[in-house]
Amino acid sequence: MSSPTATLLISCPDQQGLVAKFANFIYANGGNIIHADQHTDFAAELFLTRLEWQLTGFNLPREFIAPAFNAIAQPLNAKWELHFSDTVPRIAIWVSKQDHCLFDLIWRHRAKEFTAEIPLIISNHLPLQEVAEQFGIDYHYIPINKDNKLEQEAKQLKLLREYKIDLVVLAKYMQILSADFIAKFPQIINIHHSFLPAFVGANPYQKAFERGVKIIGATAHYVTSDLDAGPIIEQDVVRVSHRDEVEDLIRKGKDLERIVLARAVRSHLQNRVLVYGNRTVVFE
Amino acid sequence: MSSPTATLLISCPDQQGLVAKFANFIYANGGNIIHADQHTDFAAELFLTRLEWQLTGFNLPREFIAPAFNAIAQPLNAKWELHFSDTVPRIAIWVSKQDHCLFDLIWRHRAKEFTAEIPLIISNHLPLQEVAEQFGIDYHYIPINKDNKLEQEAKQLKLLREYKIDLVVLAKYMQILSADFIAKFPQIINIHHSFLPAFVGANPYQKAFERGVKIIGATAHYVTSDLDAGPIIEQDVVRVSHRDEVEDLIRKGKDLERIVLARAVRSHLQNRVLVYGNRTVVFE
Amino acid sequence: MSSPTATLLISCPDQQGLVAKFANFIYANGGNIIHADQHTDFAAELFLTRLEWQLTGFNLPREFIAPAFNAIAQPLNAKWELHFSDTVPRIAIWVSKQDHCLFDLIWRHRAKEFTAEIPLIISNHLPLQEVAEQFGIDYHYIPINKDNKLEQEAKQLKLLREYKIDLVVLAKYMQILSADFIAKFPQIINIHHSFLPAFVGANPYQKAFERGVKIIGATAHYVTSDLDAGPIIEQDVVRVSHRDEVEDLIRKGKDLERIVLARAVRSHLQNRVLVYGNRTVVFE
Amino acid sequence: MSSPTATLLISCPDQQGLVAKFANFIYANGGNIIHADQHTDFAAELFLTRLEWQLTGFNLPREFIAPAFNAIAQPLNAKWELHFSDTVPRIAIWVSKQDHCLFDLIWRHRAKEFTAEIPLIISNHLPLQEVAEQFGIDYHYIPINKDNKLEQEAKQLKLLREYKIDLVVLAKYMQILSADFIAKFPQIINIHHSFLPAFVGANPYQKAFERGVKIIGATAHYVTSDLDAGPIIEQDVVRVSHRDEVEDLIRKGKDLERIVLARAVRSHLQNRVLVYGNRTVVFE
């Protein structure tokens, strides 16, 4: 499987013959499908699929795949994305003061759990600059307050462009982004430290403690202009008890946050996530 | 362990020597403690404990235990309950149309997973009458609508008194009880088909589907006049995916509801649950 | 989706074009695929797929589907099964003295969690006869000892034929079947009360207690002549602690056994399970 | 709670009055108990308890606590340990080539999830020397082969003594220690990458894949001379499916290993683990 692959992510109004049509497109051009996943949302009458095939032996040159597939997709009103496995996406990690998600993403990157470059860390605080230096990643300190937000967001956007960033990962960034920013750069994954939609907003562990829940969670989701309401990619939970103080919830939650964020980032980078409406299909 | 036991559930402003004082009370009277659990809520400055000891060999006659312990408890401002393991509590199960929690509680009762009598089922619908008859339990059909609620609640209360009910279990009763009713009969456990506080109120599975969550849950809690906001006794969750339609969430949720409700009822009946504020300590 | 469907389960040496070929077969005959799942085991060089399509509008009459598909399958060396959703499979439940899995399967059957008929219960003990009668299912008492095993198995086989049974569910049957019996009737699902391959054989909860594990499990698997070593369909676990005696493990384990067995039976009945080697693919 | 505390871990043949006697010892000397946990193993007729109290205000000087308590413990045939929260234990982490558990323990140490010093890393390989240097920890390279094992173990023991090590953590050390070594230094926690007792020994993920399990696990345990058979401290699991290759099991397993090992080390360092026979009580 060392051959580079192409991946099509397609969502399309449901109709007869879609599996055959898409598979034929690849087969007719000499492609060897290594993963094919489908899902039909019957309520939404939507067909969603992910097709990954080996480029070695595929008769269409890369630059012709998109136009050729478009000829099939357009009459079906399909939306689609095409990705190549040897195009390495570039990530910016945004942090505040907490280091657990940052460390974890860096460790997984070194362990080759996902394929990406991490050239940029942005933070509204200074403490993690040292970590960035330790691992040779550029660190830009852009402090945010209520007066300078728009102007600082302009700086952030400029950096994302300069560094050719494909995905922003909010690894406990703890700031709300403006709707305008999100519109200009919509590829953002956030980790929220609660089992959404419970405990939206600030201090979820404190709220969870006060509510006396017996299980806490963490949620990775795409960021939209609605606070903590974007499409959920991954969630996980851990059991707590009356013996756990707020600080125990925070400690236990960190393990959740690390794992949930990492799974979501990995699924996204492997082009396994299809968003439609406010929902995701995550092909595993 | 066939000897009957006494159990004290105590909550008390925290201070030095409480473990010793309570244990001494039992030891000095010849009691053999078989379970002793403590918890200190440092924020609330509250000490909570559960002590269970064998009555065989205990020098105080049963009727003197309460007054004797009160002499210790009063100067400490302790709240406490005393239970005997051979006093069998009486449960009324309230249902609507769904049978899974009812069947499950009846099966567990037969399997001796908890000690109780179940002499009464109350329902606002007729379909489960047949189940009640099959297992020889009285079934009272008390239909509720917005006009007759108060008057029907009076009938329900009367039945609880007649049947000498100690605990009401809302096993998917699907009706909101009035604050007045709850004030008059506060020992009520409800199963809510979501991971509270997410999806309070009606149709939680539909809401969970629309939100696109990756995990669903169920919550057993004591009923208070705030809808779905009473002290949580037990919660559990199960993973779902984009492949699960609303009807799959409902099906998977039923297994959660059965187990979570059963655990909560069992803990309550074994006098393992201590409520303080809107929280519970569940001694396991 | 009330239209009846056909389902093909196919395993086939991997090669280019399989997704297209199988999808084309259905599409070319006017079929509307509602579920398509594939998996490639790269180590085994095996392609496994499940295709389900609506029969309404499908141009091939039912009796011609198998021969028509065979013409495609044979040159590919594919193994395959064809099922129709309106052919209701017939289950025999085999029990010993414990009732929890039996009750659970009966309840799920009534709740329409799976489509099947349950005309027959076989047991080596008498206590559950009453349950069978309560739900109107024939109960055959076939006591087993080391001397009469072969002869009793002959009776069991005869019953399976008379009742036209498609699937035997060992719902805590607690007896080992002979290799000869399994060869003659290989469609058997067993629930083993441990997290296999830990604690093969008798008394797994006792063994789990002695080993001091912190989690217990249950395993549903197809029965082969190797004890507790057949292909695993489903497993689940629950946390335990030092507070749990053997009897608590047994009680907690019952909930696992019920759920794990039910999930496995449902997946099997929906033709979602493909066995190859000693492994299963369970398409969800 | 910033006051230093003392902790007694006691196991004792069960008899009447133990809770009272031990609590009285602390109360009579002016101690304020902040955690009291008990467990009775009725089969073993053993009483196990953990008592933690504040030293501020305690009338007995530290050096007299042990002899004073011994006067109580001896007639009861109790085994006990006394620990002070401000005595910082010293850990040696032993690694091979994999870095995930090492990184994780270092991160948790920096995050103050547990109180300890980590002055020493021992490895039979060189690759992680760089990590040790990055975090300023001494790294000793002691390669092991079948011929030099005893002699190298002598070097290891010498290092443990020189560095005044209290606990060895085998963080994927991948070597079997001799019975002699374990006898001389018995405080060793190992992380095994399977849900013990399934898949004892080498290559558990490969074995798990071949067996076709649907859940994998990890186990932290004290090391004894029986391979992978020592008292279990903590276990956890994660669901896998047919889509997971061996390398996916390894990747998913790493997250388990990190968390399970960290929980076990933390419980041990907080003196929450009591070993008796081949079992543990972990007071939470």
Side-chain angles (χ1 to χ4, degrees):
Chain A
M1 271 189 295
S2 57
S3 159
T5 62
T7 299
L8 271 170
L9 282 175
I10 312 166
S11 61
C12 182
D14 195 23
Q15 57 191 278
Q16 223 164 301
L18 292 174
V19 178
K21 277 177 192 164
F22 297 144
N24 282 338
F25 168 73
I26 295 161
Y27 181 48
N29 289 295
N32 187 28
I33 293 175
I34 58 169
H35 292 294
D37 291 287
Q38 287 85 30
H39 175 62
T40 308
D41 185 319
F42 294 104
E45 296 182 358
L46 206 63
F47 175 81
L48 307 119
T49 188
R50 177 185 186 277
L51 292 163
E52 182 173 359
W53 70 97
Q54 292 171 319
L55 285 168
T56 309
F58 196 59
N59 299 326
L60 274 180
R62 286 193 189 202
E63 62 274 24
F64 291 125
I65 299 177
F69 185 72
N70 199 43
I72 293 165
Q74 213 166 6
L76 299 168
N77 280 319
K79 291 184 198 166
W80 55 278
E81 303 168 23
L82 176 67
H83 300 276
F84 298 110
S85 66
D86 51 8
T87 307
V88 180
R90 293 167 66 83
I91 301 178
I93 302 178
W94 293 26
V95 294
S96 189
K97 292 175 185 167
Q98 290 184 296
D99 65 359
H100 56 289
C101 287
L102 176 62
F103 256 122
D104 193 66
L105 288 170
I106 291 173
W107 170 75
R108 289 180 200 273
H109 181 243
R110 287 160 53 112
K112 302 198 189 343
E113 288 202 1
F114 52 79
T115 304
E117 284 173 24
I118 309 180
L120 174 63
I121 295 171
I122 290 179
S123 177
N124 55 334
H125 289 285
L126 282 168
L128 299 188
Q129 180 149 24
E130 191 190 0
V131 177
E133 282 164 8
Q134 192 178 4
F135 292 98
I137 306 173
D138 289 359
Y139 187 91
H140 288 261
Y141 167 54
I142 305 184
I144 303 277
N145 59 49
K146 56 188 169 186
D147 298 326
N148 70 0
K149 186 161 189 165
L150 289 187
E151 149 194 4
Q152 297 297 69
E153 282 191 342
K155 282 189 203 164
Q156 291 168 333
L157 265 178
K158 191 153 166 286
L159 281 171
L160 297 184
R161 268 186 236 109
E162 283 172 18
Y163 281 83
K164 298 196 170 90
I165 296 301
D166 299 295
L167 175 71
V168 165
V169 178
L170 303 181
K172 306 290 291 176
Y173 179 58
M174 314 304 275
Q175 293 287 323
I176 298 171
L177 306 179
S178 74
D180 183 58
F181 181 93
I182 297 164
K184 284 179 181 149
F185 193 94
Q187 291 286 68
I188 308 170
I189 293 175
N190 183 44
I191 179 72
H192 185 73
H193 39 314
S194 87
F195 184 75
L196 288 176
F199 312 125
V200 166
N203 296 323
Y205 292 122
Q206 180 66 39
K207 289 175 189 162
F209 179 83
E210 285 163 11
R211 183 61 189 91
V213 294
K214 300 299 186 187
I215 288 173
I216 57 168
T219 305
H221 62 95
Y222 289 111
V223 173
T224 63
S225 52
D226 276 350
L227 181 61
D228 298 332
I232 293 170
I233 308 168
E234 171 65 349
Q235 300 188 291
D236 211 341
V237 295
V238 70
R239 193 163 276 272
V240 296
S241 83
H242 59 270
R243 295 177 191 272
D244 292 299
E245 317 267 338
V246 174
E247 64 189 25
D248 297 306
L249 302 194
I250 292 170
R251 175 176 49 79
K252 291 185 168 184
K254 281 181 183 174
D255 279 338
L256 285 179
E257 295 164 22
R258 297 199 296 175
I259 285 173
V260 168
L261 180 58
R263 285 187 197 146
V265 167
R266 189 170 184 273
S267 294
H268 175 91
L269 292 175
Q270 296 187 336
N271 303 304
R272 300 184 177 280
V273 189
L274 242 169
V275 177
Y276 69 103
N278 202 42
R279 302 169 59 74
T280 62
V281 168
V282 182
F283 291 117
E284 272 164 27
Chain B
M1 273 189 295
S2 57
S3 159
T5 62
T7 299
L8 271 169
L9 282 175
I10 312 165
S11 60
C12 181
D14 194 22
Q15 57 192 273
Q16 223 165 302
L18 292 175
V19 177
K21 277 177 193 166
F22 298 144
N24 281 338
F25 167 73
I26 294 161
Y27 180 48
N29 288 295
N32 188 28
I33 293 175
I34 58 170
H35 293 294
D37 291 286
Q38 287 85 30
H39 176 63
T40 307
D41 185 319
F42 294 105
E45 296 183 358
L46 206 62
F47 176 80
L48 307 117
T49 188
R50 179 185 186 276
L51 292 162
E52 183 173 0
W53 70 97
Q54 292 172 322
L55 286 168
T56 309
F58 196 58
N59 300 326
L60 274 179
R62 286 193 188 202
E63 61 275 23
F64 292 126
I65 298 177
F69 185 71
N70 199 42
I72 293 165
Q74 213 166 7
L76 298 169
N77 282 317
K79 291 185 199 167
W80 55 278
E81 303 167 24
L82 176 66
H83 302 275
F84 299 111
S85 66
D86 52 8
T87 306
V88 180
R90 293 168 64 83
I91 301 177
I93 302 177
W94 292 27
V95 295
S96 189
K97 292 176 186 168
Q98 290 184 296
D99 65 0
H100 57 289
C101 287
L102 176 61
F103 256 122
D104 193 65
L105 287 170
I106 291 173
W107 169 75
R108 288 179 200 272
H109 181 242
R110 288 161 52 114
K112 301 196 190 341
E113 287 202 1
F114 51 80
T115 305
E117 284 173 24
I118 308 178
L120 174 63
I121 296 171
I122 289 180
S123 179
N124 55 334
H125 289 284
L126 282 168
L128 299 189
Q129 181 149 24
E130 190 189 2
V131 177
E133 282 164 9
Q134 191 178 3
F135 291 98
I137 306 173
D138 290 0
Y139 188 92
H140 289 262
Y141 168 54
I142 305 184
I144 303 275
N145 58 48
K146 57 188 168 189
D147 297 325
N148 71 0
K149 185 161 189 164
L150 288 186
E151 151 195 0
Q152 297 297 68
E153 282 192 342
K155 280 190 204 165
Q156 292 168 332
L157 264 178
K158 193 154 165 285
L159 280 170
L160 297 183
R161 270 187 233 107
E162 283 173 19
Y163 280 84
K164 297 197 170 90
I165 295 302
D166 298 298
L167 175 70
V168 166
V169 178
L170 303 182
K172 307 290 291 177
Y173 178 58
M174 314 304 275
Q175 293 286 324
I176 297 171
L177 306 179
S178 75
D180 183 57
F181 181 93
I182 296 164
K184 284 178 180 149
F185 194 95
Q187 291 288 66
I188 309 171
I189 293 175
N190 182 46
I191 180 72
H192 184 73
H193 39 316
S194 86
F195 184 74
L196 287 175
F199 311 125
V200 166
N203 297 324
Y205 291 124
Q206 180 66 39
K207 289 175 190 162
F209 179 82
E210 284 163 12
R211 182 61 189 91
V213 295
K214 301 300 186 188
I215 288 173
I216 57 168
T219 306
H221 62 95
Y222 289 111
V223 173
T224 63
S225 53
D226 276 351
L227 180 63
D228 298 332
I232 294 170
I233 308 168
E234 172 65 349
Q235 301 188 291
D236 212 341
V237 295
V238 71
R239 195 163 274 273
V240 296
S241 82
H242 59 270
R243 295 177 191 274
D244 291 299
E245 316 265 340
V246 175
E247 65 190 24
D248 296 306
L249 302 194
I250 291 171
R251 174 176 50 81
K252 291 186 168 183
K254 281 180 182 175
D255 279 339
L256 285 180
E257 295 164 22
R258 299 198 294 175
I259 284 174
V260 168
L261 179 58
R263 284 186 196 147
V265 168
R266 187 171 186 272
S267 294
H268 175 91
L269 292 174
Q270 296 188 337
N271 304 303
R272 298 182 179 281
V273 189
L274 243 168
V275 178
Y276 69 104
N278 202 43
R279 300 168 60 75
T280 63
V281 168
V282 182
F283 291 117
E284 274 163 26
Chain C
M1 273 186 295
S2 56
S3 159
T5 62
T7 298
L8 271 169
L9 282 175
I10 312 165
S11 60
C12 183
D14 195 24
Q15 57 191 276
Q16 223 165 301
L18 292 175
V19 178
K21 278 178 193 166
F22 297 144
N24 282 339
F25 168 73
I26 295 162
Y27 180 48
N29 289 295
N32 188 26
I33 292 175
I34 59 171
H35 292 294
D37 291 287
Q38 286 87 29
H39 175 62
T40 307
D41 185 319
F42 294 104
E45 295 183 359
L46 206 62
F47 175 80
L48 307 118
T49 188
R50 179 186 186 275
L51 292 162
E52 183 174 359
W53 70 96
Q54 292 172 320
L55 286 168
T56 309
F58 196 59
N59 298 328
L60 273 180
R62 286 192 190 203
E63 62 274 24
F64 292 126
I65 298 177
F69 184 72
N70 199 41
I72 293 164
Q74 214 166 6
L76 298 168
N77 282 317
K79 290 184 199 168
W80 55 277
E81 304 167 23
L82 176 67
H83 301 276
F84 298 111
S85 66
D86 50 9
T87 307
V88 180
R90 294 167 65 82
I91 300 177
I93 303 177
W94 292 27
V95 294
S96 188
K97 292 176 184 168
Q98 290 185 297
D99 65 359
H100 56 288
C101 287
L102 175 62
F103 256 122
D104 193 66
L105 288 170
I106 292 173
W107 169 76
R108 289 181 200 271
H109 181 243
R110 288 161 53 114
K112 301 195 191 341
E113 288 202 0
F114 52 79
T115 304
E117 284 173 26
I118 309 178
L120 174 63
I121 295 172
I122 289 180
S123 179
N124 55 333
H125 289 283
L126 282 168
L128 299 188
Q129 179 149 26
E130 192 189 2
V131 177
E133 281 164 9
Q134 193 178 3
F135 292 98
I137 305 173
D138 289 359
Y139 188 91
H140 288 262
Y141 168 54
I142 305 184
I144 304 274
N145 58 48
K146 54 188 169 186
D147 297 325
N148 70 1
K149 188 159 187 165
L150 289 186
E151 148 196 4
Q152 297 297 68
E153 283 192 342
K155 282 190 204 164
Q156 291 167 334
L157 265 178
K158 191 153 167 284
L159 281 171
L160 296 184
R161 269 187 233 109
E162 282 173 21
Y163 280 85
K164 299 193 170 94
I165 296 302
D166 299 297
L167 175 71
V168 166
V169 178
L170 302 182
K172 307 290 291 177
Y173 177 57
M174 314 306 274
Q175 292 287 324
I176 297 171
L177 306 178
S178 75
D180 183 57
F181 181 94
I182 297 164
K184 284 178 181 151
F185 193 95
Q187 291 287 67
I188 308 170
I189 293 176
N190 182 44
I191 180 72
H192 184 74
H193 39 315
S194 87
F195 183 75
L196 286 176
F199 310 126
V200 166
N203 298 320
Y205 292 124
Q206 180 66 39
K207 289 174 190 162
F209 179 83
E210 284 163 12
R211 182 62 188 92
V213 295
K214 301 301 186 187
I215 288 173
I216 57 168
T219 305
H221 63 96
Y222 290 111
V223 173
T224 62
S225 52
D226 275 351
L227 180 63
D228 298 333
I232 293 171
I233 309 169
E234 171 67 348
Q235 300 187 292
D236 212 343
V237 294
V238 70
R239 195 164 274 273
V240 296
S241 82
H242 59 271
R243 295 176 191 275
D244 291 299
E245 317 266 339
V246 175
E247 65 188 26
D248 297 306
L249 303 193
I250 292 170
R251 175 176 48 79
K252 291 186 168 182
K254 282 180 183 175
D255 279 339
L256 285 180
E257 295 164 22
R258 299 199 294 175
I259 285 173
V260 168
L261 179 59
R263 285 186 196 146
V265 168
R266 189 172 185 271
S267 294
H268 175 90
L269 291 174
Q270 295 186 339
N271 304 305
R272 298 182 178 282
V273 189
L274 243 169
V275 178
Y276 69 103
N278 202 41
R279 302 169 58 75
T280 62
V281 167
V282 182
F283 291 118
E284 273 165 24
Chain D
M1 275 188 293
S2 56
S3 159
T5 62
T7 299
L8 271 170
L9 282 175
I10 311 165
S11 61
C12 183
D14 195 22
Q15 57 192 277
Q16 225 165 301
L18 292 175
V19 178
K21 276 177 194 165
F22 297 144
N24 282 339
F25 167 74
I26 295 161
Y27 180 48
N29 290 296
N32 188 28
I33 292 175
I34 57 170
H35 293 293
D37 291 286
Q38 286 85 29
H39 175 62
T40 308
D41 185 318
F42 293 105
E45 295 183 358
L46 206 62
F47 175 81
L48 307 118
T49 187
R50 178 186 187 276
L51 292 163
E52 183 174 359
W53 70 96
Q54 292 171 321
L55 286 167
T56 309
F58 196 60
N59 299 326
L60 273 180
R62 287 192 187 201
E63 62 274 24
F64 292 125
I65 298 177
F69 185 71
N70 199 42
I72 292 165
Q74 213 166 6
L76 299 167
N77 282 317
K79 291 184 199 166
W80 55 277
E81 304 168 21
L82 176 67
H83 301 275
F84 299 109
S85 65
D86 51 9
T87 306
V88 180
R90 294 168 66 83
I91 301 177
I93 302 178
W94 292 27
V95 295
S96 189
K97 291 177 184 166
Q98 290 184 297
D99 66 359
H100 56 290
C101 287
L102 175 63
F103 256 123
D104 193 66
L105 287 170
I106 291 173
W107 170 75
R108 289 179 201 272
H109 181 243
R110 286 160 54 114
K112 300 196 190 343
E113 288 202 2
F114 52 80
T115 304
E117 284 173 26
I118 308 179
L120 174 62
I121 295 172
I122 289 179
S123 179
N124 55 334
H125 289 284
L126 282 168
L128 299 188
Q129 179 151 23
E130 190 189 4
V131 177
E133 282 165 8
Q134 193 178 4
F135 291 98
I137 305 173
D138 290 359
Y139 188 91
H140 288 262
Y141 168 53
I142 305 184
I144 303 274
N145 58 49
K146 54 190 171 186
D147 297 325
N148 70 0
K149 188 161 188 165
L150 289 186
E151 148 196 5
Q152 297 298 67
E153 283 192 343
K155 281 190 203 163
Q156 292 168 333
L157 266 178
K158 190 153 167 285
L159 280 171
L160 297 184
R161 270 187 234 109
E162 282 173 20
Y163 280 85
K164 297 194 171 94
I165 296 302
D166 298 297
L167 176 70
V168 165
V169 178
L170 303 182
K172 307 290 290 175
Y173 177 59
M174 314 304 275
Q175 292 287 324
I176 297 172
L177 306 179
S178 75
D180 183 58
F181 181 92
I182 298 164
K184 285 179 181 150
F185 194 95
Q187 291 286 67
I188 308 170
I189 294 176
N190 182 45
I191 179 72
H192 185 74
H193 39 314
S194 87
F195 184 74
L196 288 176
F199 311 126
V200 166
N203 297 323
Y205 292 123
Q206 180 66 38
K207 290 175 190 163
F209 179 82
E210 284 163 12
R211 183 61 189 91
V213 295
K214 300 300 186 185
I215 288 173
I216 57 168
T219 305
H221 63 95
Y222 289 111
V223 173
T224 62
S225 52
D226 276 352
L227 180 63
D228 297 332
I232 293 171
I233 308 168
E234 171 67 349
Q235 299 187 292
D236 211 343
V237 295
V238 71
R239 193 164 276 274
V240 296
S241 81
H242 59 271
R243 294 177 192 275
D244 292 299
E245 317 265 341
V246 174
E247 65 189 24
D248 297 305
L249 302 194
I250 292 171
R251 175 176 48 80
K252 291 185 169 184
K254 282 180 182 175
D255 279 338
L256 285 180
E257 293 163 23
R258 297 199 295 175
I259 285 173
V260 168
L261 179 60
R263 286 186 195 146
V265 168
R266 189 171 184 270
S267 294
H268 175 90
L269 292 175
Q270 296 186 339
N271 304 304
R272 298 181 178 282
V273 188
L274 243 168
V275 178
Y276 69 105
N278 202 41
R279 301 169 60 76
T280 63
V281 167
V282 182
F283 291 117
E284 271 164 25

